[in-house]
Amino acid sequence: MSWSALEAVGLGKAYRGGTALRDCSFRLPTGRVCALVGPNGAGKSTLLGLAAGLLRPTAGAVRVLGAAPAAARERIAFVAQAKPLYPQLTVDETLRMGRELNPGRWDADTARGIAAPLDPAARVRSLSGGQRTRLALALALGKRPELLLLDEPMADLDPLARHQLMGALMADAAERGTSVVMSSHILSELEGACDHLLLVDGGRVRLGGPVDDVLGAHALLTGPAADAERALSPYDVVVESRTTGRQISALVRAEDGTRPGPAPGWQLTDPSLEELLLAHLRSPEAPALLAPDTSAEGRVAA
């Protein structure tokens, strides 16, 4: 059985104040650029921390690149929200530290290319939030990871820097076949960059699979509210319906993956990624959907 970039079976993490993840099961094939989305407190940061080996699960198990997170640590790079760096070091000293901590893997050209706009003599404590993000990403990419874990990596960057660094990330992932899991609240940023989706809400994976497959399984139906029952009946799942005046708009899904033609007087359109995610987040009771290559059913993560 081939290994995955990231796999969880029955994964749970409880804290003294509550539970962050419960019975979380999925697998992410290698080579994917995965958007990890969900509301605040959904468990995204906890999931990334477990994958990076910084946290231990209280239930179930997680495997990274076919191994326990601790055993795969040299092959993983993790950029946390806080961007932890040594404040007393300079930019140049930080990059030198990255080289010394990753002998045999360090790509100095990539790291210095990402950090190029920074003053090599500037100390980390003098850098702005966006500059620290750039330096943290330089360390992560310089490590040449097989799996790159990013927790809200672009949140404190201006739009131009965000565009430039996202382009560098995607180019590196495409060139090296790096698997990427990126948490972000900027849905437009994810839609153009990611080919795989994990929606976490309430500590569980609610949607998972290739973006095109998940989008293709859903449809937006719009038509007269008075005729809604008949028009929506061919679909097994009505994720959300919203009424405006005499019109109703519904995000629907048929469990067999088909798309029945719309009833007379109704329009059927493809949802955008943002429309899909917002509808599912507003409807936490909607049934989960995991594409076949994302389901961990029948697999063991020991």
Side-chain angles (χ1 to χ4, degrees):
M1 180 171 56
S2 62
W3 46 260
S4 308
L6 179 60
E7 183 173 355
V9 175
L11 185 63
K13 178 62 180 178
Y15 297 98
R16 185 170 298 178
T19 301
L21 292 175
R22 57 173 67 83
D23 194 24
C24 187
S25 298
F26 69 91
R27 59 182 295 264
L28 175 67
T30 57
R32 304 293 176 88
V33 178
C34 179
L36 178 62
V37 298
N40 290 332
K44 303 186 301 297
S45 294
T46 296
L47 177 57
L48 291 173
L50 289 165
L54 301 179
L55 301 173
R56 291 185 177 181
T58 51
V62 60
R63 288 177 71 81
V64 178
L65 301 170
R73 189 163 293 162
E74 290 185 357
R75 303 156 66 195
I76 304 169
F78 177 40
V79 178
Q81 284 190 44
K83 317 295 188 308
L85 297 165
Y86 291 101
Q88 73 275 18
L89 296 184
T90 66
V91 169
D92 191 59
E93 289 168 342
T94 299
L95 295 181
R96 195 183 318 147
M97 177 190 68
R99 182 191 66 201
E100 293 174 357
L101 291 176
N102 297 281
R105 297 188 65 93
W106 187 249
D107 186 335
D109 290 340
T110 294
R112 292 197 177 278
I114 297 294
L118 306 178
D119 178 0
R123 297 199 179 275
V124 169
R125 60 171 167 257
S126 71
L127 301 179
S128 68
Q131 289 172 325
R132 286 194 295 272
T133 293
R134 184 177 284 276
L135 184 56
L137 288 171
L139 282 177
L141 290 177
K143 188 178 180 180
R144 291 191 298 184
E146 295 174 46
L147 175 63
L148 179 59
L149 304 170
L150 303 170
D151 195 359
E152 296 286 345
M154 310 294 181
D156 49 9
L157 293 173
D158 62 72
L160 179 58
R162 185 183 303 135
H163 177 76
Q164 292 172 338
L165 284 178
M166 183 62 73
L169 280 173
M170 295 307 101
D172 185 82
E175 179 182 352
R176 302 184 187 280
T178 308
S179 302
V180 181
V181 181
M182 179 168 55
S183 164
S184 178
H185 284 106
I186 307 172
L187 299 183
S188 58
E189 173 181 276
L190 297 173
E191 188 160 15
C194 299
D195 58 16
H196 205 89
L197 173 69
L198 285 175
L199 169 62
V200 179
D201 193 9
R204 293 185 174 91
V205 175
R206 297 259 321 280
L207 289 174
V211 170
D212 289 344
D213 290 356
V214 175
L215 286 172
H218 294 78
L220 276 175
L221 280 176
T222 305
D227 193 30
E229 184 175 353
R230 179 176 68 90
L232 301 181
S233 61
Y235 290 89
D236 302 294
V237 177
V238 178
V239 176
E240 180 191 49
S241 61
R242 299 167 69 85
T243 303
T244 305
R246 297 181 180 180
Q247 292 285 108
I248 187 171
S249 179
L251 182 71
V252 297
R253 182 174 83 230
E255 293 293 3
D256 62 3
T258 62
R259 275 193 176 190
W266 285 72
Q267 290 184 331
L268 185 150
T269 57
D270 296 324
S272 68
L273 181 59
E274 184 171 7
E275 288 171 330
L276 176 83
L277 294 174
L278 289 176
H280 275 275
L281 289 173
R282 289 190 293 253
S283 306
E285 73 287 350
L289 173 66
L290 265 69
D293 70 346
T294 305
S295 174
E297 184 177 353
R299 297 173 68 95
V300 177

